[in-house]
Amino acid sequence: MKKLMITLFALTIGLSSLTSCSSDSESANEPIETAKSYTHSAIELELLDEVNAYRVSVGLNPLQIIEHISYKSAEHNAYMLANQTVTHAGFDERKSNLQEVLGAYRVGENVAFAYSTAQATVTAWANSTGHKANLEGDYTHFGAAIKMDDQGRKYYTNMFIKK
């Protein structure tokens, strides 16, 4: 009897140590980043208004602003300014972030450089096939950021998502 109790005790200890070593998938992965807040400048709000005005003029829904999208756009502007280039480099990482943090399942991006006004930027995008496709895309939300370099030239990033 004593031997049976010792065996059962050892078996119980062995089973509990097996379950204590397991973890669910959430604790095994890095925590998902939370949405970041962002304060828009007047020209950034003007750009977002111009994009929505364009969309409405062609019969599409206006998009809702999400600050986190503008935050990611601002990060990309900082990258472009630091590298003195206009590029979509890092788009896959931004897209993944918007998918994870906001639940986006479609993501688009327009960038621009050196346009003096929001209206001129949106007009240029509307006259470019790829950029126009994003302006007119099947999206629900957006964000944008503008950063100026030392010479007063502006870097623009406008991102779109559908969730």
Side-chain angles (χ1 to χ4, degrees):
M1 181 73 157
K2 185 176 182 180
K3 190 174 182 178
L4 179 62
M5 289 180 68
I6 291 172
T7 303
L8 287 173
F9 179 74
L11 185 58
T12 304
I13 296 295
L15 288 175
S16 69
S17 67
L18 287 175
T19 57
S20 68
C21 290
S22 68
S23 65
D24 60 34
S25 61
E26 284 185 13
S27 61
N29 296 329
E30 291 184 28
I32 293 176
E33 179 184 337
T34 58
K36 306 284 188 196
S37 61
Y38 186 81
T39 303
H40 295 95
S41 68
I43 192 169
E44 289 168 337
L45 291 173
E46 184 181 341
L47 178 69
L48 293 166
D49 286 344
E50 288 289 335
V51 168
N52 269 340
Y54 173 81
R55 287 180 60 85
V56 168
S57 78
V58 295
L60 298 170
N61 62 300
L63 304 176
Q64 295 177 356
I65 298 169
I66 295 181
E67 290 180 0
H68 182 76
I69 300 171
S70 296
Y71 179 86
K72 297 310 284 184
S73 297
E75 284 183 336
H76 185 56
N77 282 347
Y79 171 85
M80 291 192 299
L81 192 134
N83 291 283
Q84 298 180 353
T85 187
V86 179
T87 180
H88 291 285
F91 174 74
D92 288 338
E93 290 82 9
R94 288 186 297 286
K95 177 182 175 182
S96 292
N97 176 272
L98 297 176
Q99 290 170 326
E100 291 172 13
V101 175
L102 301 176
Y105 65 88
R106 179 175 296 125
V107 179
E109 174 179 271
N110 284 345
V111 296
F113 171 70
Y115 289 94
S116 59
T117 66
Q119 184 177 11
T121 306
V122 173
T123 298
W125 285 336
N127 289 322
S128 163
T129 305
H131 295 99
K132 182 177 182 174
N134 281 333
L135 286 176
E136 296 180 5
D138 183 19
Y139 298 111
T140 55
H141 297 83
F142 69 156
I146 302 168
K147 186 163 180 73
M148 199 175 323
D149 67 12
D150 293 338
Q151 290 79 41
R153 298 173 301 188
K154 297 173 185 150
Y155 289 82
Y156 297 80
T157 301
N158 182 197
M159 299 191 73
F160 308 85
I161 72 165
K162 182 169 185 170
K163 42 190 260 174

